[in-house]
């Protein structure tokens, strides 16, 4: 290094060090500011929580030992998801046809218009739908399909009446 370079270096050196110290102090101050807003005594407090709620969560027991009978556990039904309703014909084919296509156990046949008309006259449309829901004589409730909804059963009765050519 020449003398001139040496002098220039000695002039610059304190400036550079000074600037670095300045930046360091600035970063420390910024860090402290951020810390003081998000935590208390080193406990990080997420927005919407309090110092107490955070501490309670940390101190909560990780499990419990239970003696004696287990508590009742709520069982979640798996089939809760709503299923698209079946059409009247689908329900009829799957559930009702076994009897009403064959006349089993004295079931009125699908095409026995007189029979359906008489029942309609006696109880009305809603009445005969209710008979299917509740069951009647040899016909089990819901025609034996516990999963069939009221709407599906109503649609299947409509299907029967349409097929039999009975208006209501
Ligand atoms: C196990 C046989 C069986 C099945 C399955 C069955 N039914 Fe019936 N159903 C009968 C019999 C038997 C009767 C006559 C009952 C009586 O009059 O005592 C009847 C009567 C009816 C009636 C007349 C009710 C009234 O109030 O007079 C309707 C409507 C009917 N069924 C619709 C259906 C539909 C819709 C389904 C399918 C969801 C169905 N049935 C499934 C046997 C069955």
């Amino acid at each position: 290094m020449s003398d001139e370079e040496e002098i220039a270096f000695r002039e610059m050196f304190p400036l550079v060090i000074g600037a670095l110290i300045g930046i360091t102090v600035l970063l420390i101050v910024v860090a402290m500011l951020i810390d003081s807003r998000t935590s208390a005594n080193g406990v990080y407090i997420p927005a919407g929580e309090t110092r107490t709620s955070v501490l309670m969560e940390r101190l909560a027991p990780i499990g419990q030992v239970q003696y004696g009978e287990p508590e009742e556990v709520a069982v979640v039904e798996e089939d809760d998801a709503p299923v698209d309703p079946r059409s009247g014909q689908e329900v009829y084919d799957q559930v009702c046809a076994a009897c009403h296509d064959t006349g089993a156990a004295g079931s009125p046949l699908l095409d026995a218009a007189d029979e359906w008309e008489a029942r309609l006259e006696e109880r009305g449309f809603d009445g005969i739908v209710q008979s299917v829901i509740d069951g009647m004589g040899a016909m089990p409730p819901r025609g034996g399909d516990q999963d069939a909804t009221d709407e599906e059963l109503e649609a299947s009765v409509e299907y029967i009446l349409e097929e039999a050519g009975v208006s209501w």
Side-chain angles (χ1 to χ4, degrees), residues 123 126-146 148-150 153 157:
R123 280 175 285 280
D126 290 347
I128 62 172
V129 170
Q130 198 58 47
S131 306
V132 179
I133 292 172
D134 296 338
M136 184 184 212
M139 175 166 63
R142 300 186 175 278
D145 181 356
Q146 293 313 311
T149 63
D150 291 1
L153 294 175
V157 173

Short mmCIF file of all heavy atoms in Angstrom, two decimals, residues 123 126-146 148-150 153 157:
data_model
loop_
_atom_site.label_atom_id
_atom_site.label_comp_id
_atom_site.label_asym_id
_atom_site.label_seq_id
_atom_site.Cartn_x
_atom_site.Cartn_y
_atom_site.Cartn_z
N ARG A 123 -108.77 -42.77 1.08
CA ARG A 123 -107.80 -42.07 1.95
C ARG A 123 -107.16 -40.83 1.32
O ARG A 123 -106.46 -40.09 2.01
CB ARG A 123 -106.69 -43.03 2.38
CG ARG A 123 -107.09 -43.94 3.52
CD ARG A 123 -106.03 -44.95 3.84
NE ARG A 123 -105.97 -46.01 2.84
CZ ARG A 123 -106.80 -47.05 2.79
NH1 ARG A 123 -107.77 -47.15 3.69
NH2 ARG A 123 -106.70 -47.98 1.86
N ASP A 126 -102.44 -38.20 -0.07
CA ASP A 126 -101.57 -38.14 1.11
C ASP A 126 -101.80 -39.34 2.02
O ASP A 126 -100.88 -39.85 2.65
CB ASP A 126 -101.81 -36.85 1.89
CG ASP A 126 -101.29 -35.64 1.13
OD1 ASP A 126 -100.54 -35.83 0.15
OD2 ASP A 126 -101.63 -34.50 1.51
N GLY A 127 -103.05 -39.78 2.07
CA GLY A 127 -103.39 -40.91 2.94
C GLY A 127 -102.69 -42.19 2.52
O GLY A 127 -102.14 -42.91 3.35
N ILE A 128 -102.69 -42.47 1.20
CA ILE A 128 -102.06 -43.73 0.79
C ILE A 128 -100.54 -43.63 0.85
O ILE A 128 -99.85 -44.61 1.12
CB ILE A 128 -102.56 -44.21 -0.61
CG1 ILE A 128 -102.20 -43.22 -1.71
CG2 ILE A 128 -104.05 -44.48 -0.60
CD1 ILE A 128 -102.51 -43.75 -3.10
N VAL A 129 -100.02 -42.38 0.67
CA VAL A 129 -98.57 -42.21 0.86
C VAL A 129 -98.23 -42.51 2.32
O VAL A 129 -97.26 -43.21 2.63
CB VAL A 129 -98.12 -40.78 0.48
CG1 VAL A 129 -96.67 -40.54 0.92
CG2 VAL A 129 -98.26 -40.56 -1.01
N GLN A 130 -99.10 -42.01 3.22
CA GLN A 130 -98.86 -42.24 4.65
C GLN A 130 -98.90 -43.74 4.96
O GLN A 130 -98.12 -44.22 5.79
CB GLN A 130 -99.91 -41.48 5.47
CG GLN A 130 -99.53 -41.29 6.94
CD GLN A 130 -98.20 -40.52 7.09
OE1 GLN A 130 -97.99 -39.50 6.45
NE2 GLN A 130 -97.31 -41.06 7.91
N SER A 131 -99.80 -44.48 4.27
CA SER A 131 -99.86 -45.93 4.49
C SER A 131 -98.52 -46.58 4.14
O SER A 131 -98.07 -47.50 4.84
CB SER A 131 -100.94 -46.58 3.61
OG SER A 131 -102.18 -45.96 3.80
N VAL A 132 -97.89 -46.08 3.06
CA VAL A 132 -96.60 -46.66 2.66
C VAL A 132 -95.55 -46.31 3.72
O VAL A 132 -94.73 -47.16 4.11
CB VAL A 132 -96.16 -46.13 1.27
CG1 VAL A 132 -94.82 -46.72 0.88
CG2 VAL A 132 -97.22 -46.47 0.23
N ILE A 133 -95.57 -45.05 4.19
CA ILE A 133 -94.58 -44.63 5.20
C ILE A 133 -94.74 -45.45 6.47
O ILE A 133 -93.76 -45.94 7.04
CB ILE A 133 -94.75 -43.12 5.49
CG1 ILE A 133 -94.35 -42.30 4.25
CG2 ILE A 133 -93.89 -42.71 6.69
CD1 ILE A 133 -94.67 -40.81 4.37
N ASP A 134 -95.99 -45.63 6.91
CA ASP A 134 -96.23 -46.33 8.18
C ASP A 134 -96.26 -47.84 8.02
O ASP A 134 -96.12 -48.57 8.99
CB ASP A 134 -97.59 -45.89 8.77
CG ASP A 134 -97.59 -44.41 9.11
OD1 ASP A 134 -96.50 -43.85 9.29
OD2 ASP A 134 -98.69 -43.82 9.19
N GLY A 135 -96.51 -48.29 6.79
CA GLY A 135 -96.73 -49.72 6.59
C GLY A 135 -98.22 -50.01 6.69
O GLY A 135 -98.96 -49.29 7.34
N MET A 136 -98.66 -51.07 6.00
CA MET A 136 -100.09 -51.40 6.02
C MET A 136 -100.25 -52.89 5.75
O MET A 136 -99.76 -53.39 4.73
CB MET A 136 -100.82 -50.60 4.94
CG MET A 136 -102.31 -50.81 4.95
SD MET A 136 -103.07 -49.94 3.58
CE MET A 136 -104.65 -49.52 4.29
N GLY A 137 -100.89 -53.58 6.66
CA GLY A 137 -101.08 -55.02 6.46
C GLY A 137 -99.75 -55.71 6.24
O GLY A 137 -98.82 -55.56 7.03
N ALA A 138 -99.64 -56.41 5.10
CA ALA A 138 -98.41 -57.14 4.81
C ALA A 138 -97.30 -56.23 4.28
O ALA A 138 -96.17 -56.68 4.09
CB ALA A 138 -98.70 -58.25 3.79
N MET A 139 -97.65 -54.96 4.04
CA MET A 139 -96.61 -54.03 3.53
C MET A 139 -95.86 -53.43 4.71
O MET A 139 -96.44 -52.76 5.54
CB MET A 139 -97.24 -52.92 2.68
CG MET A 139 -96.21 -51.88 2.24
SD MET A 139 -96.85 -50.82 0.93
CE MET A 139 -98.20 -50.00 1.75
N PRO A 140 -94.53 -53.67 4.76
CA PRO A 140 -93.74 -53.12 5.88
C PRO A 140 -93.61 -51.61 5.74
O PRO A 140 -93.79 -51.07 4.65
CB PRO A 140 -92.38 -53.81 5.73
CG PRO A 140 -92.30 -54.21 4.29
CD PRO A 140 -93.70 -54.44 3.82
N PRO A 141 -93.34 -50.90 6.87
CA PRO A 141 -93.13 -49.45 6.78
C PRO A 141 -92.08 -49.13 5.72
O PRO A 141 -91.09 -49.83 5.59
CB PRO A 141 -92.61 -49.08 8.18
CG PRO A 141 -93.12 -50.16 9.08
CD PRO A 141 -93.20 -51.40 8.24
N ARG A 142 -92.36 -48.06 4.96
CA ARG A 142 -91.48 -47.62 3.87
C ARG A 142 -91.25 -48.74 2.85
O ARG A 142 -90.21 -48.80 2.21
CB ARG A 142 -90.12 -47.13 4.41
CG ARG A 142 -90.30 -45.96 5.35
CD ARG A 142 -89.03 -45.32 5.81
NE ARG A 142 -89.40 -44.14 6.62
CZ ARG A 142 -89.71 -42.95 6.10
NH1 ARG A 142 -89.65 -42.75 4.81
NH2 ARG A 142 -90.06 -41.96 6.88
N GLY A 143 -92.20 -49.64 2.73
CA GLY A 143 -92.07 -50.74 1.79
C GLY A 143 -90.87 -51.62 2.13
O GLY A 143 -90.46 -52.46 1.33
N GLY A 144 -90.30 -51.43 3.32
CA GLY A 144 -89.16 -52.25 3.74
C GLY A 144 -87.82 -51.57 3.53
O GLY A 144 -86.80 -52.10 3.93
N ASP A 145 -87.82 -50.40 2.91
CA ASP A 145 -86.55 -49.69 2.69
C ASP A 145 -86.46 -48.54 3.68
O ASP A 145 -87.00 -47.46 3.44
CB ASP A 145 -86.48 -49.18 1.24
CG ASP A 145 -85.16 -48.46 0.96
OD1 ASP A 145 -84.35 -48.30 1.89
OD2 ASP A 145 -84.96 -48.05 -0.19
N GLN A 146 -85.78 -48.79 4.79
CA GLN A 146 -85.72 -47.77 5.85
C GLN A 146 -85.01 -46.50 5.38
O GLN A 146 -85.16 -45.45 5.98
CB GLN A 146 -85.00 -48.34 7.09
CG GLN A 146 -85.77 -49.45 7.76
CD GLN A 146 -87.24 -49.10 7.97
OE1 GLN A 146 -87.56 -48.02 8.46
NE2 GLN A 146 -88.14 -49.99 7.54
N ALA A 148 -85.40 -45.09 2.44
CA ALA A 148 -86.21 -44.31 1.50
C ALA A 148 -86.77 -43.09 2.21
O ALA A 148 -87.31 -43.19 3.31
CB ALA A 148 -87.34 -45.18 0.95
N THR A 149 -86.63 -41.91 1.61
CA THR A 149 -87.16 -40.69 2.22
C THR A 149 -88.64 -40.57 1.90
O THR A 149 -89.15 -41.24 0.99
CB THR A 149 -86.44 -39.45 1.67
OG1 THR A 149 -86.72 -39.37 0.26
CG2 THR A 149 -84.94 -39.54 1.88
N ASP A 150 -89.33 -39.71 2.66
CA ASP A 150 -90.75 -39.48 2.40
C ASP A 150 -90.98 -39.04 0.95
O ASP A 150 -91.92 -39.48 0.30
CB ASP A 150 -91.30 -38.41 3.34
CG ASP A 150 -91.35 -38.92 4.79
OD1 ASP A 150 -90.94 -40.08 5.02
OD2 ASP A 150 -91.79 -38.17 5.66
N LEU A 153 -90.74 -41.93 -1.39
CA LEU A 153 -91.92 -42.79 -1.31
C LEU A 153 -93.10 -42.14 -2.02
O LEU A 153 -93.85 -42.80 -2.75
CB LEU A 153 -92.26 -43.09 0.16
CG LEU A 153 -91.19 -43.92 0.88
CD1 LEU A 153 -91.52 -44.07 2.36
CD2 LEU A 153 -91.03 -45.29 0.24
N VAL A 157 -95.24 -43.59 -5.20
CA VAL A 157 -96.71 -43.74 -5.26
C VAL A 157 -97.24 -43.05 -6.52
O VAL A 157 -98.09 -43.59 -7.24
CB VAL A 157 -97.39 -43.17 -3.99
CG1 VAL A 157 -98.91 -43.17 -4.15
CG2 VAL A 157 -96.99 -43.97 -2.76
#
